[in-house]
Amino acid sequence: MKSRSEDYLYRIRQFFLVHDSATTAEISKHLTISFPTATKLLENMEKQGEISLVGLDESNGGRRAKLYRYNPHFKQGLSVYVEKDELGFTVFNSFGEVLEEGTVADSLGKGNVTPLLHLVSGVLDRFPRISAVSIGVPASVSDQGDILYAPHYEGLHGLNLKVLIEEKFGTPTTIENDMNAAVLGYCYNDSYVEPSSSTFIYLYFGHNGPGAGLLVNGELVRGKSHFTGEISFVPQVHGKSFGQSLPQEQITPGSLQGEGADAVGQLVATFAAIINPHYVIFSDQEINGSDITNISQKSRTFIPESHLPELVISNWSKDYLRGLQRLCIELLLDQTSLT
């Protein structure tokens, strides 16, 4: 649990990420922090280089107030995603501005984490101001960073990836399921609906088998054993699971017809009946407009159209990385030390 001063520091950082500049009085008023406390915190942040004095505010007849601006490069973040045949990464500052990104043609294989450690080590060497790391994996992950279920990476089962990274590099780290990161990235894109007012489900069929991310009223749903989103196990008609009903070949835009479209349509109807989401999001790598039509037609055979969610298409890769960046920036904001 955060102390009061730690909470104040977190909120001040959040304020600066939204506002270009601020005075002590503005910080005190908007965040309900006493003026002396705000003054002390801002002075400490200035000494450490986290904020800088950029001038004086316009005078209202009295002494002009100091105007501060946040230094977005004071601390930087690293996000890494794990896919079947590659590792992707992005380095960014506290404002989410990308400094470097790339991919490595490798993966965690049967549980060999050496490629991942090598990638993280190389990036940290090039960017010594990185103060937090987020890693996305196609697996169920506990709050403590344990890999609980990774059907295509059996050797990772039971590995605490968070502890491994933190002990080796001394950098605060968060580990997240890929679909959880993707739904966060979609929902917190400023061009979309405020997430707290809606329920979202992100579906992806991918190289590692189908998965889903659920966000309800702005909160990720992980479930009792962090198994939420393992949709391949959802039972369907004719005694098959959802995973068994999907085409064996890779799904591509325009290819979802017949039994595959029926399976996805049934799944959408199932979600509509259980949690009644506002939106179901699909990847543009897999689904196009004609697929959406096929899915909708099948869903309407089970659920009245007025109760069905809106089906939308988005860029999964960008959403995934955006979600990982958000998680990493949260780590940066939450760090209590100014050094």
Side-chain angles (χ1 to χ4, degrees):
M1 185 175 179
K2 295 179 186 176
S3 68
R4 181 172 296 181
S5 61
E6 290 169 350
D7 179 63
Y8 288 162
L9 185 58
Y10 175 84
R11 290 161 55 200
I12 289 173
R13 287 167 173 160
Q14 278 189 317
F15 188 86
F16 273 116
L17 295 193
V18 176
H19 300 83
D20 180 63
S21 58
T23 65
T24 306
E26 289 171 334
I27 293 289
S28 176
K29 177 183 177 181
H30 287 282
L31 301 182
T32 320
I33 301 173
S34 71
F35 190 87
T37 299
T39 299
K40 181 178 180 181
L41 288 170
L42 291 172
E43 287 177 349
N44 287 338
M45 293 172 74
E46 184 184 10
K47 287 178 183 178
Q48 297 295 336
E50 187 168 6
I51 61 174
S52 58
L53 181 64
V54 293
L56 299 176
D57 198 14
E58 294 182 4
S59 175
N60 292 320
R63 184 177 180 181
R64 297 173 67 187
K66 293 180 179 180
L67 193 64
Y68 294 102
R69 180 170 294 154
Y70 197 81
N71 174 11
H73 294 287
F74 177 70
K75 289 186 178 181
Q76 298 167 349
L78 165 65
S79 291
V80 182
Y81 69 81
V82 176
E83 270 295 303
K84 186 176 181 179
D85 300 313
E86 70 177 20
L87 301 171
F89 74 93
T90 180
V91 180
F92 45 90
N93 64 22
S94 297
F95 288 175
E97 297 166 339
V98 175
L99 308 177
E100 183 178 314
E101 56 187 350
T103 58
V104 176
D106 214 328
S107 76
L108 300 193
K110 291 294 183 180
N112 176 21
V113 297
T114 301
L116 174 62
L117 298 177
H118 181 74
L119 170 62
V120 173
S121 176
V123 175
L124 292 180
D125 285 344
R126 295 197 303 278
F127 294 89
R129 299 190 76 87
I130 288 175
S131 302
V133 175
S134 61
I135 299 176
V137 293
S140 298
V141 185
S142 75
D143 292 334
Q144 293 74 38
D146 296 291
I147 305 298
L148 302 175
Y149 178 73
H152 297 275
Y153 304 87
E154 292 84 357
L156 296 179
H157 184 79
L159 174 69
N160 192 307
L161 195 54
K162 171 182 168 67
V163 170
L164 178 65
I165 298 294
E166 289 183 342
E167 288 186 347
K168 185 169 182 63
F169 301 108
T171 306
T173 300
T174 185
I175 313 297
E176 186 56 272
N177 168 266
D178 54 356
M179 296 311 304
N180 286 345
V183 74
L184 279 175
Y186 177 91
C187 294
Y188 284 95
N189 183 346
D190 290 339
S191 64
Y192 294 107
V193 178
E194 175 61 31
S196 61
S197 65
S198 301
T199 295
F200 299 83
I201 297 175
Y202 209 128
L203 298 181
Y204 186 60
F205 309 119
H207 300 290
N208 297 294
L214 283 72
L215 191 139
V216 178
N217 297 328
E219 297 290 336
L220 283 172
V221 179
R222 292 184 167 87
K224 180 188 77 170
S225 59
H226 295 259
F227 201 67
T228 298
E230 297 296 340
I231 55 175
S232 62
F233 294 98
V234 174
Q236 295 202 318
V237 297
H238 310 305
K240 290 184 176 182
S241 67
F242 177 70
Q244 292 168 336
S245 300
L246 282 180
Q248 295 303 306
E249 64 275 10
Q250 183 68 30
I251 294 175
T252 57
S255 69
L256 200 59
Q257 302 174 15
E259 187 177 4
D262 289 348
V264 179
Q266 288 181 57
L267 184 66
V268 170
T270 299
F271 280 126
I274 296 173
I275 62 172
N276 197 202
H278 295 79
Y279 303 93
V280 173
I281 307 112
F282 297 89
S283 167
D284 60 0
Q285 301 172 17
E286 301 176 329
I287 299 294
N288 65 12
S290 65
D291 298 314
I292 293 292
T293 299
N294 294 336
I295 294 167
S296 297
Q297 289 176 347
K298 185 62 179 180
S299 296
R300 289 197 297 271
T301 65
F302 294 97
I303 300 288
E305 186 172 2
S306 61
H307 301 296
L308 288 172
E310 181 178 346
L311 308 183
V312 296
I313 300 173
S314 187
N315 187 307
W316 183 79
S317 298
K318 289 184 178 180
D319 293 335
Y320 188 4
L321 278 174
R322 187 187 299 118
L324 289 176
Q325 285 181 19
R326 177 178 175 81
L327 291 167
C328 194
I329 289 173
E330 280 294 312
L331 270 185
L332 295 177
L333 295 177
D334 209 27
Q335 290 176 10
T336 57
S337 172
L338 290 175
T339 57

